[in-house]
């Protein structure tokens, strides 16, 4: 009979783009799926994820589930060069505030955007405009 390992501690969701997917794989190879913590870590990574798709995807993931104690968001880098920076920041602030209002007991963390040397859809010198 296989043994079942039950992890006690908070539920942590890490949600975002392909960095999350690759981070999950790397964590499994090194620290373990739960990053060596006494927590239940769930990874939700989708390549090419853009900010405008993040919150609707999160709401779909939450259907029938309790909100996690901790939400770590790694998203937005794929928007750079496609969305004006000021518009992206405004959308992020609006959505993070809305998430906080809907789930006040959930701690929300945001990973900084990942800089790249080249942006596929951006004109050189125009990334911050």
């Amino acid at each position: 009979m296989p043994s079942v390992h039950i992890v006690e501690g908070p539920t942590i969701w890490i949600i975002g783009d392909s960095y999350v997917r690759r981070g999950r794989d790397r964590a499994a190879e090194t620290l373990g799926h739960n990053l060596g913590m006494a927590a239940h870590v769930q990874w939700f990574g989708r390549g090419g994820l853009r900010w405008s798709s993040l919150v609707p995807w999160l709401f779909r993931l939450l259907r029938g589930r309790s909100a996690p104690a901790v939400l770590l968001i790694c998203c937005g880098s794929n928007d750079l060069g496609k969305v004006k920076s000021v518009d992206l920041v405004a959308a992020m602030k609006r959505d993070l505030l809305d998430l906080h209002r809907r789930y006040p007991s959930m701690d929300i963390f945001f990973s900084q955007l990942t800089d790249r040397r080249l942006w596929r859809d951006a004109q050189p010198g125009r990334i911050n405009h």
Side-chain angles (χ1 to χ4, degrees):
M1 177 179 228
S3 64
V4 175
H5 180 68
I6 298 175
V7 177
E8 293 188 28
T11 299
I12 301 170
W13 282 18
I14 304 174
I15 186 170
D17 56 26
S18 60
Y19 283 103
V20 172
R21 192 180 63 231
R22 289 192 300 265
R24 176 199 61 215
D25 296 342
R26 181 71 175 142
E29 296 170 0
T30 57
L31 299 170
H33 188 76
N34 290 326
L35 299 170
M37 297 185 292
H40 179 64
V41 179
Q42 292 186 278
W43 301 78
F44 302 96
R46 191 165 78 187
L49 183 67
R50 297 196 38 208
W51 188 265
S52 61
S53 299
L54 174 75
V55 174
W57 184 40
L58 175 62
F59 289 152
R60 282 193 301 277
L61 292 170
L62 282 166
R63 282 190 199 136
R65 299 178 179 176
S66 297
V70 177
L71 178 67
L72 173 60
I73 299 171
C74 304
C75 186
S77 295
N78 291 320
D79 291 279
L80 296 175
K82 298 173 185 165
V83 177
K84 288 183 178 182
S85 297
V86 293
D87 295 338
L88 178 59
V89 169
M92 290 173 158
K93 286 180 179 180
R94 180 193 65 234
D95 291 341
L96 291 171
L97 182 59
D98 181 55
L99 286 173
H100 175 67
R101 286 182 179 146
R102 288 175 187 249
Y103 306 100
S105 62
M106 180 173 66
D107 292 327
I108 303 171
F109 296 88
F110 177 75
S111 170
Q112 74 179 34
L113 300 180
T114 305
D115 289 332
R116 299 179 184 171
R117 292 188 73 183
L118 294 172
W119 297 94
R120 195 175 315 159
D121 297 316
Q123 296 174 343
R126 301 286 302 166
I127 195 70
N128 292 318
H129 298 282

